[in-house]
Amino acid sequence: MERKVGTVSRGIRCPIIREGDNLVDITVNSVIEAAESEGYAFRDRDVIALTESIVARSQGNYVSVQNIADDVKAKLGGGTIGIIFPILSRNRFAICLRGMAMGAKKVVLMLSYPSDEVGNALLTYDQLDEAGINPYSDVLTLEKYRELFGENKHEFTGVDYVQYYSDIITEAGAEVEIIFANNAKTILNYTDCVINCDIHTRVRTKRLLKEGGAKVVCGMDDIMTAPINGSGYNAKYGLLGSNKSTEDTIKLFPRDCQDLVEDIQSQLLEKTGKHVEVMVYGDGAFKDPQGKIWELADPVVSPAFTKGLIGTPNELKLKYLADNDFKNLSGAELKEAIAKSIKEKDANLVGNMASQGTTPRQLTDLIGSLCDLTSGSGDKGTPVIHIQGYFDNFTD
């Protein structure tokens, strides 16, 4: 019988993961038990994905605010530091900010506006237009910001992040000055020791600051790159991708997890006879049209994946073929013609009009987004995802 179902994404229930747990065994056992309980079989090219959170937790990859403070003080001198372009997030950045402030005497906090890098808004463009402010060139003091715009609370959280971040810095024992600007070099009018907290634009920001004469420039990926007093660390991403754990600790992005995905792949091949692909995923890469928030606050969607997930989709647009190449066909004849086109398609469809409108993104970004939406970020209890049929097409 012809298969009637394409891609299926299942959230897999797992035990609560603690430091030191054998994540390979837990994952393999959980997905096999789930398949047995639901009555479905493994197939070649299934995808097994683990949320980055359980990987980092099993690694014990945590740091304290004091660890952050010690690293910041050692790397930036402990005097006046500029902290620029942070995202507006209680979960992602607030505790990092407290640690940074504890490692300095004064913090000049420079916020991008009207929104942060991932779309959390301080203001709207309409507000800027009404006030005659050019966000590309105008620098606002806190006083000018309040005079023009007053208090602005985040649409979803109800938090006035300007006041919230200011309070965090002062409560950490540092003096605070807040400015609003979008040109990285603006901070150099206040201090030459800078932590740039942007995520996806960090390399350019560092270059601009160094070209502008900064004495010390650290990205968040340069803080906590080595353990301090037995803490966790991430040599590649530092504080990037971290999340709040407790009021005094954060969980870092997982490190060194390539062996993990390959070991899971190997064990599942041994136990099921099927060659599956395995990846670790964090944030999905999509944007909310209502809140304008781009979900990707992690440095990458997937920090580790097996080789079969390298690359981008190579797909034909079925509706293009139906409306153009085979517009005079219908029924079984149309189905047969489209199936033939798929089977005979080139290995690389770049530039082919019949592929326009397909999604030219990395497989790991697409699949990671599907996983993130499947697992959610709350209490579903499904930190492992089993995807079937992702690599199928109309002819399978």
Side-chain angles (χ1 to χ4, degrees):
M1 180 180 176
E2 181 184 14
R3 278 174 55 190
K4 294 295 185 180
V5 177
T7 301
V8 175
S9 179
R10 295 181 176 92
I12 306 299
R13 294 271 172 85
C14 296
I16 302 298
I17 305 300
R18 297 295 190 189
E19 181 178 354
D21 285 349
N22 187 323
L23 203 51
V24 174
D25 288 349
I26 290 173
T27 301
V28 169
N29 292 336
S30 294
V31 296
I32 289 176
E33 289 169 4
E36 291 173 349
S37 70
E38 295 295 315
Y40 60 89
F42 282 79
R43 303 173 189 158
D44 287 324
R45 299 214 77 187
D46 283 3
V47 178
I48 306 299
L50 298 78
T51 180
E52 58 83 21
S53 176
I54 62 171
V55 180
R57 289 173 66 189
S58 70
Q59 294 174 340
N61 206 14
Y62 296 85
V63 301
S64 69
V65 290
Q66 189 60 57
N67 297 146
I68 297 171
D70 292 344
D71 205 20
V72 167
K73 188 172 183 179
K75 289 175 177 172
L76 288 102
T80 298
I81 65 172
I83 297 177
I84 72 171
F85 302 155
I87 64 172
L88 307 176
S89 172
R90 295 168 296 175
N91 174 47
R92 288 287 191 170
F93 188 73
I95 294 182
C96 294
L97 177 61
R98 182 148 70 95
M100 293 173 187
M102 287 168 58
K105 291 181 179 178
K106 178 179 178 179
V107 171
V108 181
L109 179 66
M110 190 172 94
L111 300 172
S112 55
Y113 74 100
S115 66
D116 69 10
E117 180 185 9
V118 297
N120 292 296
L122 284 173
L123 304 165
T124 67
Y125 278 100
D126 288 336
Q127 286 176 290
L128 297 183
D129 292 342
E130 290 170 6
I133 297 298
N134 183 345
Y136 302 104
S137 59
D138 291 343
V139 178
L140 305 178
T141 63
L142 177 61
E143 293 72 24
K144 189 63 176 178
Y145 171 86
R146 292 298 190 198
E147 175 191 331
L148 292 172
F149 307 113
E151 180 185 65
N152 290 276
K153 294 184 177 181
H154 191 280
E155 177 183 4
F156 295 150
T157 66
V159 173
D160 177 353
Y161 279 97
V162 176
Q163 188 62 52
Y164 178 54
Y165 280 2
S166 177
D167 291 344
I168 287 173
I169 294 167
T170 55
E171 289 168 5
E175 182 184 349
V176 62
E177 181 176 358
I178 297 179
I179 59 173
F180 303 80
N182 292 310
N183 184 337
K185 293 182 181 179
T186 299
I187 194 64
L188 300 178
N189 296 324
Y190 300 83
T191 178
D192 58 3
C193 295
V194 184
I195 303 176
N196 65 292
C197 302
D198 46 340
I199 304 163
H200 308 293
T201 54
R202 64 187 183 275
V203 173
R204 177 175 184 265
T205 298
K206 288 180 189 179
R207 174 176 60 78
L208 291 172
L209 290 169
K210 290 174 181 177
E211 290 173 356
K215 178 182 175 183
V216 182
V217 179
C218 288
M220 287 183 69
D221 55 332
D222 299 311
I223 307 297
M224 296 309 306
T225 54
I228 295 178
N229 298 324
S231 73
Y233 68 98
N234 191 308
K236 185 174 183 178
Y237 295 120
L239 291 176
L240 288 178
S242 60
N243 285 275
K244 178 179 179 178
S245 176
T246 70
E247 295 303 321
D248 296 301
T249 60
I250 62 171
K251 175 195 64 60
L252 298 179
F253 211 48
R255 63 177 190 267
D256 306 327
C257 40
Q258 189 61 38
D259 286 347
L260 170 72
V261 297
E262 292 177 1
D263 287 348
I264 292 172
Q265 182 184 56
S266 177
Q267 279 205 27
L268 283 171
L269 177 60
E270 180 182 339
K271 293 188 176 186
T272 69
K274 301 300 180 182
H275 181 88
V276 304
E277 304 298 343
V278 184
M279 64 182 283
V280 176
Y281 69 95
D283 278 343
F286 47 83
K287 186 172 182 176
D288 168 33
Q290 173 63 30
K292 313 303 182 193
I293 298 169
W294 185 32
E295 178 69 12
L296 186 55
D298 286 328
V300 291
V301 173
S302 177
F305 46 89
T306 50
K307 292 180 180 179
L309 297 177
I310 296 172
T312 60
N314 190 57
E315 300 173 343
L316 294 170
K317 197 77 168 180
L318 297 193
K319 65 182 181 182
Y320 181 90
L321 293 175
D323 292 344
N324 290 273
D325 295 39
F326 309 121
K327 61 184 178 181
N328 296 320
L329 302 180
S330 62
E333 193 177 10
L334 173 61
K335 181 178 179 180
E336 183 179 343
I338 288 180
K340 185 173 185 293
S341 293
I342 293 172
K343 290 176 179 178
E344 296 177 353
K345 67 183 178 183
D346 293 336
N348 187 339
L349 292 171
V350 173
N352 187 320
M353 288 297 289
S355 70
Q356 66 178 340
T358 58
T359 310
R361 291 164 56 189
Q362 296 296 317
L363 288 169
T364 49
D365 293 345
L366 291 164
I367 297 170
S369 298
L370 174 59
C371 293
D372 192 20
L373 289 168
T374 302
S375 61
S377 57
D379 57 8
K380 289 184 173 60
T382 55
V384 173
I385 306 299
H386 186 171
I387 298 172
Q388 295 192 295
Y390 189 84
F391 294 102
D392 290 356
N393 62 44
F394 185 66
T395 67
D396 294 314

